[in-house]
Amino acid sequence: MTASAPRMHLGWFTNFLPPSWNRTWSGRAADTWASGDFHINVARRLEEGRLDYLLLEDSSYVSNTYGGDFELELAQMSRAPKHDPMPLAAAITRETRNLGVIATANTTFYPPYLLARLISTLDHISRGRIGLNVVTGAPNQALANFGISDDALKDSTSAHDLRYDMADEFVELVVKLWESWERDAVIQDREADRYIESSKVHTVDYDGQYHRSRGPLNTIPSPQYRPVICQAGGSPRGIRFAAKYASTIVALPKGEEYMRKYCDDVRREMEAAGRDPEECKILFLVSPTLGDTDADAQRRREADRARVDERVRQRLSLMSGGETDYSEYPLDEPLPELDARGQSVTDTFVRMNAGKTFRTALADDTTESVELVGAPATVAERMGEVLESTTGDGYLFYSGSGQLTMRYVDEVIDGLVPELQRAGLARREYTGSTLSEHLAEF
């Protein structure tokens, strides 16, 4: 590995739903996930590895698109059962001291004032370790859960871009609300019996096309003042949004060429928005397959790929959150035309699987930017090489929806991370106390 290899930011991507619960290494996950205990244990281990943060993905609906019922959806547990990540984020930060926790919220469903207040409060509870993952996606079934019937927001390419337009105002307003109290507004003047300097608290009087608020917040300035914002935009519109606001990005371009292009696109848009590209850390989603030896890891990877029927069901479930009923598509015919509706994930799926049957495409598809297979030292070296060639800032580990086990966490934290640390790529100790400081460290 070359001496110029960059240092890596590391995180973990998961969600508040059942992990792997019915397999050899599942342990008591079926009994402990709903209380948050399983995920708290995961967070403790991530902190031992000195990771930057744990990201909690979220969605708020149960899809019956596939075949017109809930059978596949609930059998695969892609989106349900899933609990709210906000209380879990608070619980995790009370059981850890350094690990950042990023919770997901949807700008289509939250009022800006409510979310600004919630995140500010969580930043206090965590002593400055909270982050907000902003998502805009609003499948029709989720819209119906919130009683939203606006046709302009229903799944389409135009709705995809409209939701980002609305999110632009949303986040702009949230930031103004966070900053409606000046940093030194809390004075605690005991002699004058004044806790707050009122001249340092201001209305925001925001009047946008989609959102309005008088302000100010009724919470005091939080430890980070402006908590970390995360985003996962992959489309051109999503990249522009992320470049404007995000301090870290969840990235899923596939293949080194596209990973490098993605980084170039984000940084170009950041400069256009008047931001320093160093202010945002781009972390690629990866799912390393580890083993005692390279051959052992390869055997494990091949065994996983051999579960064709199971992998097909998993991918069908994940893809069935929108309006397309894939039960009507023959599995053993060429990949059908798919309506991306502005979604970069669908575009990538089609590009990566051109010429295959639908079944083979589903079985081969993975949620990772680059394949990593081998003994920990081999994978660590490869991660360094890829980061150099793509100019990314790090990686988010992901085990697959509903497939997380403590064994996998242990393999990464006890096997892979120490190799990255020995190579000088990953931090050995935390130097800051807030999530913002972790991201700004290098």
Side-chain angles (χ1 to χ4, degrees):
M1 187 172 300
T2 63
S4 61
R7 297 178 69 190
M8 290 177 193
H9 291 274
L10 298 174
W12 199 288
F13 183 99
T14 189
N15 32 38
F16 196 3
L17 51 64
S20 175
W21 67 276
N22 196 28
R23 297 215 179 158
T24 304
W25 301 102
S26 296
R28 296 183 56 246
D31 303 318
T32 61
W33 79 270
S35 66
D37 288 348
F38 176 87
H39 295 82
I40 289 171
N41 286 336
V42 169
R44 289 179 178 135
R45 295 256 48 216
L46 303 187
E47 187 165 77
E48 290 178 23
R50 307 300 190 256
L51 270 63
D52 289 60
Y53 61 79
L54 168 64
L55 190 153
L56 299 169
E57 177 272 343
D58 193 35
S59 58
S60 53
Y61 67 108
V62 187
S63 175
N64 63 349
T65 298
Y66 189 88
D69 58 42
F70 297 125
E71 175 60 32
L72 180 68
E73 174 88 346
L74 295 179
Q76 296 299 320
M77 296 191 291
S78 300
R79 283 165 288 270
K82 183 183 288 186
H83 290 185
D84 194 306
M86 294 296 179
L88 178 60
I92 287 173
T93 62
R94 300 301 288 181
E95 298 293 331
T96 54
R97 297 185 63 184
N98 295 287
L99 181 73
V101 182
I102 299 179
T104 298
N106 194 309
T107 57
T108 306
F109 305 134
Y110 263 99
Y113 190 97
L114 179 65
L115 186 58
R117 185 171 185 251
L118 173 59
I119 295 300
S120 178
T121 302
L122 287 173
D123 202 39
H124 281 287
I125 290 172
S126 67
R127 294 179 174 86
R129 292 184 288 126
I130 207 68
L132 169 63
N133 180 39
V134 177
V135 298
T136 64
N140 295 348
Q141 296 179 65
L143 291 171
N145 286 344
F146 290 87
I148 298 173
S149 57
D150 188 345
D151 287 341
L153 291 174
K154 292 183 177 179
D155 272 346
S156 66
T157 301
S158 60
H160 171 273
D161 289 353
L162 171 61
R163 291 193 296 263
Y164 271 115
D165 293 342
M166 296 173 67
D168 260 322
E169 283 194 7
F170 187 107
V171 176
E172 182 179 50
L173 173 54
V174 164
V175 171
K176 288 181 179 296
L177 288 166
W178 284 337
E179 297 176 349
S180 60
W181 291 54
E182 296 179 33
R183 292 176 185 270
D184 56 351
V186 178
I187 57 174
Q188 297 185 20
D189 186 338
R190 296 184 183 278
E191 291 185 4
D193 193 26
R194 293 173 64 208
Y195 190 78
I196 306 295
E197 174 52 66
S198 62
S199 66
K200 294 181 180 293
V201 181
H202 312 282
T203 61
V204 300
D205 300 315
Y206 190 88
D207 186 14
Q209 182 177 354
Y210 307 106
H211 298 291
R212 296 168 182 79
S213 180
R214 167 184 169 270
L217 281 184
N218 61 345
T219 58
I220 63 175
S222 75
Q224 295 182 104
Y225 195 61
R226 176 175 171 170
V228 165
I229 293 174
C230 174
Q231 226 277 317
S235 67
R237 184 64 183 89
I239 289 174
R240 288 200 304 276
F241 177 78
K244 189 173 181 180
Y245 297 108
S247 296
T248 183
I249 292 177
V250 182
L252 190 57
K254 295 190 176 182
E256 291 181 61
E257 176 187 350
Y258 288 89
M259 294 163 73
R260 175 62 183 256
K261 181 180 183 302
Y262 183 87
C263 292
D264 291 344
D265 290 346
V266 168
R267 289 165 183 151
R268 182 175 57 253
E269 291 292 347
M270 288 188 70
E271 290 175 347
R275 295 183 66 198
D276 180 352
E278 293 298 318
E279 293 177 0
C280 182
K281 308 305 180 184
I282 302 170
L283 274 60
F284 298 117
L285 216 58
V286 291
S287 302
T289 301
L290 302 167
D292 292 334
T293 65
D294 291 352
D296 178 42
Q298 190 61 46
R299 283 193 295 270
R300 294 178 70 177
R301 187 75 161 192
E302 290 170 358
D304 177 66
R305 292 296 182 90
R307 301 181 297 107
V308 173
D309 290 344
E310 183 178 347
R311 290 178 62 85
V312 167
R313 289 193 298 272
Q314 289 171 348
R315 305 312 291 184
L316 280 172
S317 177
L318 287 169
M319 291 173 61
S320 295
E323 295 301 297
T324 302
D325 182 1
Y326 291 108
S327 70
E328 299 176 355
Y329 288 63
L331 290 175
D332 295 310
E333 293 185 9
L335 187 67
E337 289 189 16
L338 302 178
D339 183 0
R341 302 194 177 192
Q343 298 294 324
S344 59
V345 173
T346 305
D347 287 335
T348 300
F349 177 79
V350 172
R351 172 177 63 81
M352 295 291 291
N353 294 290
K356 299 178 182 178
T357 66
F358 195 25
R359 185 190 304 277
T360 301
L362 292 165
D364 289 350
D365 195 42
T366 59
T367 308
E368 57 187 352
S369 283
V370 63
E371 184 176 277
L372 298 170
V373 183
T378 301
V379 172
E381 182 173 10
R382 178 65 178 142
M383 290 172 71
E385 293 169 351
V386 171
L387 218 59
E388 272 197 286
S389 71
T390 62
T391 73
D393 298 297
Y395 297 94
L396 275 172
F397 298 115
Y398 177 55
S399 64
S401 182
Q403 299 174 60
L404 180 61
T405 65
M406 287 304 303
R407 182 191 187 187
Y408 186 65
V409 174
D410 291 342
E411 288 177 348
V412 172
I413 298 302
D414 294 334
L416 178 55
V417 171
E419 291 291 347
L420 292 169
Q421 292 169 336
R422 281 190 282 271
L425 294 172
R427 70 164 60 86
R428 290 179 177 270
E429 297 295 341
Y430 293 106
T431 60
S433 60
T434 69
L435 177 53
S436 296
E437 290 170 344
H438 296 343
L439 293 171
E441 182 183 350
F442 50 85

